[in-house]
Amino acid sequence: MSELRDAAMSAKAWPFEEARRLVKRYEKAPPKKGYVLFETGYGPSGLPHIGTFGEVLRTTMIRRAFEAISDIPTRLICFSDDMDGMRKVPGNVPNQDMLREHLQRPLTAVPDPFEEYESFGHHNNAMLRRFLDTFGFEYEFYSATEFYKAGQFDETLRLAAERYDDLMAVMLKSLREERQQTYSIFLPIHPETGRVLYVPLKNVDAVNHTITFDDEDGREWTLPVTGGNVKLQWKPDFGARWAALDVDFEMYGKDHSTNTPIYDRICEILGGRKPEHFTYELFLDENGEKISKSKGNGLTIDEWLAYAATESLSYFMYQKPKTAKRLWWDVIPKAVDEYHQQLRAFPDQDLKAQLENPVWHIHGGTPPESRMVVPFSMLLNLASVAGAEDKAGLWGFIRRYAPEASPETHPDLDAAAGFAVRYFRDFVAPTREFRAPDAQERAAMEDLVVRLRGWQGGLDAEELQSLVFAVGREHGFENLRDWFKALYEVILGASQGPRFGGFIALYGVDETIKLIEGALARG
């Protein structure tokens, strides 16, 4: 254990870098509460999207890295701001007209458009928890509605009333002059309509901890700031939550980064210690635009899992969190294959290299063995040429290539075969474009057919790859990438693919001969 801890204290993997900041936070004295608290926040205004999952996953990676270098216990809270007023109707849910009648009501007071749960907020919270549970996350779920109404926020809210002027001074500096005239950190919940009101306050009573305001009809109301009668605007709420819970770590997207000084100062005014932060870059859709919950323009967790195993998504999330990344269908195959490459490398690495390997962080230090004897990209090409309707149609080829493999002994390969058939059908087949070979390419491919007819080397992928290399060189391809690109485009209708020797070994020599001949006959 000491060897692991020593290595982790100098590891360059980003979860360990963040974990060491938390160790330093408590180097003089352990936390009075007895644990280090990690928090992730969730705004349930639309259906949970993949970025939400990424936030919990990355926070968990830092939590596990911290546990490897510290004996202080940890907790992770997933906090849903479900008391937020519904400001607009998400475009990707049913019963839009019904939802419009409930605009500005807290999400937990808006009927569920799917008619399954107590409210829209409860529905979205349930979806989030289901997604997180699918991945086996260890977390505690907090609902803002319950947090406010049960009085868990009351002490902090009373303090906010007492220090109202200091808090307002922080907020007003960040607002345009027009907004300053009506802004308040407190948002009353109307006692009759149940709507979250954005109205100027006439009085904040620091002694009795009440606010007084006129509603939209000009009627005056006085409400206690406690008990769920009032909620905080989202920026003050961020910092107040840190103070109320004594949060030690929270990460959030780059779009929040300019607010960090505000969150920190709010927390400090309310008697808290600002947490350690981590700002990650945002995910982008196919057009390079930010993924939005309400637009539904990114991949959902369910959509990714329809085409690949959970670990591939975790691998994608681990990579360069401070770099903006396209999150679209075409990143899935690469993520699957790179994940398994890292998994296969892990057992032969020394401890230092293992701690830098993404699979250490994906699996909390104990990654499984990879049984993917055929890369996902090759399964896709096999699905392309085999005409398979399901994974059973691929297994005949897989068994010949790897006789020791079966669906029972290689469950990850079996699942990947099913994913490959589905991915090919939905994304590859509709976009395939075959082209005719030029004279040089045709001559080389005809020569390859002749050599494959006389091939006596069995199904050794490396030897077959050497054969394909030799044909390309002898036919004058200065850059052999151009030769392989031609094979992919003419034969498979794609601009790139796996190692062609491996493809021949998997698909079969005779089958490949027929495939090349068919492609040459087309053009």
Side-chain angles (χ1 to χ4, degrees), residues 359-371:
V359 300
W360 191 98
H361 302 276
I362 292 167
H363 296 285
T366 54
E369 177 191 2
S370 172
R371 307 285 283 170

mmCIF file with all atom_site columns, all heavy atoms in Angstrom, residues 359-371:
data_model
loop_
_atom_site.group_PDB
_atom_site.id
_atom_site.type_symbol
_atom_site.label_atom_id
_atom_site.label_alt_id
_atom_site.label_comp_id
_atom_site.label_asym_id
_atom_site.label_entity_id
_atom_site.label_seq_id
_atom_site.pdbx_PDB_ins_code
_atom_site.Cartn_x
_atom_site.Cartn_y
_atom_site.Cartn_z
_atom_site.occupancy
_atom_site.B_iso_or_equiv
_atom_site.pdbx_formal_charge
_atom_site.auth_seq_id
_atom_site.auth_comp_id
_atom_site.auth_asym_id
_atom_site.auth_atom_id
_atom_site.pdbx_PDB_model_num
ATOM 1   N N   . VAL A 1 359 ? -7.447  2.983   -17.454 1.00 0.00 ? 359 VAL A N   1
ATOM 2   C CA  . VAL A 1 359 ? -8.267  1.897   -16.910 1.00 0.00 ? 359 VAL A CA  1
ATOM 3   C C   . VAL A 1 359 ? -8.110  1.775   -15.395 1.00 0.00 ? 359 VAL A C   1
ATOM 4   O O   . VAL A 1 359 ? -9.015  1.273   -14.712 1.00 0.00 ? 359 VAL A O   1
ATOM 5   C CB  . VAL A 1 359 ? -7.972  0.549   -17.609 1.00 0.00 ? 359 VAL A CB  1
ATOM 6   C CG1 . VAL A 1 359 ? -8.259  0.643   -19.095 1.00 0.00 ? 359 VAL A CG1 1
ATOM 7   C CG2 . VAL A 1 359 ? -6.552  0.056   -17.352 1.00 0.00 ? 359 VAL A CG2 1
ATOM 8   N N   . TRP A 1 360 ? -6.981  2.240   -14.838 1.00 0.00 ? 360 TRP A N   1
ATOM 9   C CA  . TRP A 1 360 ? -6.856  2.255   -13.376 1.00 0.00 ? 360 TRP A CA  1
ATOM 10  C C   . TRP A 1 360 ? -7.955  3.139   -12.779 1.00 0.00 ? 360 TRP A C   1
ATOM 11  O O   . TRP A 1 360 ? -8.591  2.783   -11.783 1.00 0.00 ? 360 TRP A O   1
ATOM 12  C CB  . TRP A 1 360 ? -5.474  2.788   -12.960 1.00 0.00 ? 360 TRP A CB  1
ATOM 13  C CG  . TRP A 1 360 ? -5.174  2.582   -11.483 1.00 0.00 ? 360 TRP A CG  1
ATOM 14  C CD1 . TRP A 1 360 ? -4.441  1.574   -10.929 1.00 0.00 ? 360 TRP A CD1 1
ATOM 15  C CD2 . TRP A 1 360 ? -5.623  3.411   -10.382 1.00 0.00 ? 360 TRP A CD2 1
ATOM 16  N NE1 . TRP A 1 360 ? -4.406  1.713   -9.549  1.00 0.00 ? 360 TRP A NE1 1
ATOM 17  C CE2 . TRP A 1 360 ? -5.121  2.829   -9.186  1.00 0.00 ? 360 TRP A CE2 1
ATOM 18  C CE3 . TRP A 1 360 ? -6.393  4.561   -10.274 1.00 0.00 ? 360 TRP A CE3 1
ATOM 19  C CZ2 . TRP A 1 360 ? -5.357  3.373   -7.922  1.00 0.00 ? 360 TRP A CZ2 1
ATOM 20  C CZ3 . TRP A 1 360 ? -6.646  5.102   -9.018  1.00 0.00 ? 360 TRP A CZ3 1
ATOM 21  C CH2 . TRP A 1 360 ? -6.131  4.515   -7.856  1.00 0.00 ? 360 TRP A CH2 1
ATOM 22  N N   . HIS A 1 361 ? -8.185  4.264   -13.409 1.00 0.00 ? 361 HIS A N   1
ATOM 23  C CA  . HIS A 1 361 ? -9.151  5.240   -12.892 1.00 0.00 ? 361 HIS A CA  1
ATOM 24  C C   . HIS A 1 361 ? -10.589 4.843   -13.223 1.00 0.00 ? 361 HIS A C   1
ATOM 25  O O   . HIS A 1 361 ? -11.510 5.122   -12.444 1.00 0.00 ? 361 HIS A O   1
ATOM 26  C CB  . HIS A 1 361 ? -8.823  6.623   -13.451 1.00 0.00 ? 361 HIS A CB  1
ATOM 27  C CG  . HIS A 1 361 ? -7.431  7.053   -13.097 1.00 0.00 ? 361 HIS A CG  1
ATOM 28  N ND1 . HIS A 1 361 ? -7.125  7.659   -11.893 1.00 0.00 ? 361 HIS A ND1 1
ATOM 29  C CD2 . HIS A 1 361 ? -6.250  6.912   -13.760 1.00 0.00 ? 361 HIS A CD2 1
ATOM 30  C CE1 . HIS A 1 361 ? -5.821  7.887   -11.837 1.00 0.00 ? 361 HIS A CE1 1
ATOM 31  N NE2 . HIS A 1 361 ? -5.268  7.443   -12.954 1.00 0.00 ? 361 HIS A NE2 1
ATOM 32  N N   . ILE A 1 362 ? -10.783 4.181   -14.357 1.00 0.00 ? 362 ILE A N   1
ATOM 33  C CA  . ILE A 1 362 ? -12.132 3.727   -14.729 1.00 0.00 ? 362 ILE A CA  1
ATOM 34  C C   . ILE A 1 362 ? -12.604 2.640   -13.775 1.00 0.00 ? 362 ILE A C   1
ATOM 35  O O   . ILE A 1 362 ? -13.787 2.590   -13.407 1.00 0.00 ? 362 ILE A O   1
ATOM 36  C CB  . ILE A 1 362 ? -12.127 3.202   -16.187 1.00 0.00 ? 362 ILE A CB  1
ATOM 37  C CG1 . ILE A 1 362 ? -11.895 4.368   -17.159 1.00 0.00 ? 362 ILE A CG1 1
ATOM 38  C CG2 . ILE A 1 362 ? -13.437 2.480   -16.521 1.00 0.00 ? 362 ILE A CG2 1
ATOM 39  C CD1 . ILE A 1 362 ? -11.565 3.931   -18.580 1.00 0.00 ? 362 ILE A CD1 1
ATOM 40  N N   . HIS A 1 363 ? -11.675 1.783   -13.340 1.00 0.00 ? 363 HIS A N   1
ATOM 41  C CA  . HIS A 1 363 ? -12.057 0.617   -12.525 1.00 0.00 ? 363 HIS A CA  1
ATOM 42  C C   . HIS A 1 363 ? -11.572 0.715   -11.077 1.00 0.00 ? 363 HIS A C   1
ATOM 43  O O   . HIS A 1 363 ? -11.501 -0.305  -10.385 1.00 0.00 ? 363 HIS A O   1
ATOM 44  C CB  . HIS A 1 363 ? -11.516 -0.660  -13.170 1.00 0.00 ? 363 HIS A CB  1
ATOM 45  C CG  . HIS A 1 363 ? -12.118 -0.948  -14.515 1.00 0.00 ? 363 HIS A CG  1
ATOM 46  N ND1 . HIS A 1 363 ? -13.396 -1.438  -14.675 1.00 0.00 ? 363 HIS A ND1 1
ATOM 47  C CD2 . HIS A 1 363 ? -11.618 -0.776  -15.768 1.00 0.00 ? 363 HIS A CD2 1
ATOM 48  C CE1 . HIS A 1 363 ? -13.651 -1.587  -15.965 1.00 0.00 ? 363 HIS A CE1 1
ATOM 49  N NE2 . HIS A 1 363 ? -12.606 -1.181  -16.651 1.00 0.00 ? 363 HIS A NE2 1
ATOM 50  N N   . GLY A 1 364 ? -11.243 1.914   -10.618 1.00 0.00 ? 364 GLY A N   1
ATOM 51  C CA  . GLY A 1 364 ? -10.857 2.091   -9.225  1.00 0.00 ? 364 GLY A CA  1
ATOM 52  C C   . GLY A 1 364 ? -9.651  1.263   -8.821  1.00 0.00 ? 364 GLY A C   1
ATOM 53  O O   . GLY A 1 364 ? -9.572  0.768   -7.688  1.00 0.00 ? 364 GLY A O   1
ATOM 54  N N   . GLY A 1 365 ? -8.706  1.100   -9.743  1.00 0.00 ? 365 GLY A N   1
ATOM 55  C CA  . GLY A 1 365 ? -7.452  0.421   -9.413  1.00 0.00 ? 365 GLY A CA  1
ATOM 56  C C   . GLY A 1 365 ? -7.419  -1.061  -9.717  1.00 0.00 ? 365 GLY A C   1
ATOM 57  O O   . GLY A 1 365 ? -6.360  -1.686  -9.632  1.00 0.00 ? 365 GLY A O   1
ATOM 58  N N   . THR A 1 366 ? -8.573  -1.674  -10.064 1.00 0.00 ? 366 THR A N   1
ATOM 59  C CA  . THR A 1 366 ? -8.596  -3.113  -10.332 1.00 0.00 ? 366 THR A CA  1
ATOM 60  C C   . THR A 1 366 ? -9.301  -3.404  -11.656 1.00 0.00 ? 366 THR A C   1
ATOM 61  O O   . THR A 1 366 ? -10.426 -3.901  -11.674 1.00 0.00 ? 366 THR A O   1
ATOM 62  C CB  . THR A 1 366 ? -9.303  -3.877  -9.189  1.00 0.00 ? 366 THR A CB  1
ATOM 63  O OG1 . THR A 1 366 ? -10.605 -3.295  -8.993  1.00 0.00 ? 366 THR A OG1 1
ATOM 64  C CG2 . THR A 1 366 ? -8.512  -3.806  -7.904  1.00 0.00 ? 366 THR A CG2 1
ATOM 65  N N   . PRO A 1 367 ? -8.639  -3.076  -12.776 1.00 0.00 ? 367 PRO A N   1
ATOM 66  C CA  . PRO A 1 367 ? -9.274  -3.323  -14.073 1.00 0.00 ? 367 PRO A CA  1
ATOM 67  C C   . PRO A 1 367 ? -9.373  -4.811  -14.386 1.00 0.00 ? 367 PRO A C   1
ATOM 68  O O   . PRO A 1 367 ? -8.511  -5.602  -13.969 1.00 0.00 ? 367 PRO A O   1
ATOM 69  C CB  . PRO A 1 367 ? -8.347  -2.612  -15.065 1.00 0.00 ? 367 PRO A CB  1
ATOM 70  C CG  . PRO A 1 367 ? -7.030  -2.546  -14.377 1.00 0.00 ? 367 PRO A CG  1
ATOM 71  C CD  . PRO A 1 367 ? -7.320  -2.436  -12.914 1.00 0.00 ? 367 PRO A CD  1
ATOM 72  N N   . PRO A 1 368 ? -10.400 -5.230  -15.130 1.00 0.00 ? 368 PRO A N   1
ATOM 73  C CA  . PRO A 1 368 ? -10.540 -6.639  -15.508 1.00 0.00 ? 368 PRO A CA  1
ATOM 74  C C   . PRO A 1 368 ? -9.624  -6.980  -16.684 1.00 0.00 ? 368 PRO A C   1
ATOM 75  O O   . PRO A 1 368 ? -8.951  -6.119  -17.238 1.00 0.00 ? 368 PRO A O   1
ATOM 76  C CB  . PRO A 1 368 ? -12.014 -6.730  -15.928 1.00 0.00 ? 368 PRO A CB  1
ATOM 77  C CG  . PRO A 1 368 ? -12.305 -5.365  -16.481 1.00 0.00 ? 368 PRO A CG  1
ATOM 78  C CD  . PRO A 1 368 ? -11.494 -4.404  -15.645 1.00 0.00 ? 368 PRO A CD  1
ATOM 79  N N   . GLU A 1 369 ? -9.639  -8.249  -17.057 1.00 0.00 ? 369 GLU A N   1
ATOM 80  C CA  . GLU A 1 369 ? -8.886  -8.688  -18.240 1.00 0.00 ? 369 GLU A CA  1
ATOM 81  C C   . GLU A 1 369 ? -9.716  -8.405  -19.486 1.00 0.00 ? 369 GLU A C   1
ATOM 82  O O   . GLU A 1 369 ? -10.932 -8.600  -19.500 1.00 0.00 ? 369 GLU A O   1
ATOM 83  C CB  . GLU A 1 369 ? -8.607  -10.188 -18.137 1.00 0.00 ? 369 GLU A CB  1
ATOM 84  C CG  . GLU A 1 369 ? -7.889  -10.764 -19.340 1.00 0.00 ? 369 GLU A CG  1
ATOM 85  C CD  . GLU A 1 369 ? -7.856  -12.284 -19.328 1.00 0.00 ? 369 GLU A CD  1
ATOM 86  O OE1 . GLU A 1 369 ? -8.425  -12.889 -18.400 1.00 0.00 ? 369 GLU A OE1 1
ATOM 87  O OE2 . GLU A 1 369 ? -7.277  -12.868 -20.266 1.00 0.00 ? 369 GLU A OE2 1
ATOM 88  N N   . SER A 1 370 ? -9.061  -7.931  -20.546 1.00 0.00 ? 370 SER A N   1
ATOM 89  C CA  . SER A 1 370 ? -9.761  -7.750  -21.818 1.00 0.00 ? 370 SER A CA  1
ATOM 90  C C   . SER A 1 370 ? -9.846  -9.081  -22.550 1.00 0.00 ? 370 SER A C   1
ATOM 91  O O   . SER A 1 370 ? -8.857  -9.794  -22.675 1.00 0.00 ? 370 SER A O   1
ATOM 92  C CB  . SER A 1 370 ? -9.022  -6.742  -22.715 1.00 0.00 ? 370 SER A CB  1
ATOM 93  O OG  . SER A 1 370 ? -9.616  -6.715  -24.008 1.00 0.00 ? 370 SER A OG  1
ATOM 94  N N   . ARG A 1 371 ? -11.056 -9.412  -23.017 1.00 0.00 ? 371 ARG A N   1
ATOM 95  C CA  . ARG A 1 371 ? -11.251 -10.629 -23.811 1.00 0.00 ? 371 ARG A CA  1
ATOM 96  C C   . ARG A 1 371 ? -11.615 -10.276 -25.249 1.00 0.00 ? 371 ARG A C   1
ATOM 97  O O   . ARG A 1 371 ? -12.136 -11.102 -25.990 1.00 0.00 ? 371 ARG A O   1
ATOM 98  C CB  . ARG A 1 371 ? -12.360 -11.490 -23.189 1.00 0.00 ? 371 ARG A CB  1
ATOM 99  C CG  . ARG A 1 371 ? -12.174 -11.800 -21.717 1.00 0.00 ? 371 ARG A CG  1
ATOM 100 C CD  . ARG A 1 371 ? -11.108 -12.839 -21.478 1.00 0.00 ? 371 ARG A CD  1
ATOM 101 N NE  . ARG A 1 371 ? -11.569 -14.185 -21.779 1.00 0.00 ? 371 ARG A NE  1
ATOM 102 C CZ  . ARG A 1 371 ? -10.789 -15.245 -21.844 1.00 0.00 ? 371 ARG A CZ  1
ATOM 103 N NH1 . ARG A 1 371 ? -9.487  -15.102 -21.666 1.00 0.00 ? 371 ARG A NH1 1
ATOM 104 N NH2 . ARG A 1 371 ? -11.275 -16.438 -22.114 1.00 0.00 ? 371 ARG A NH2 1
#
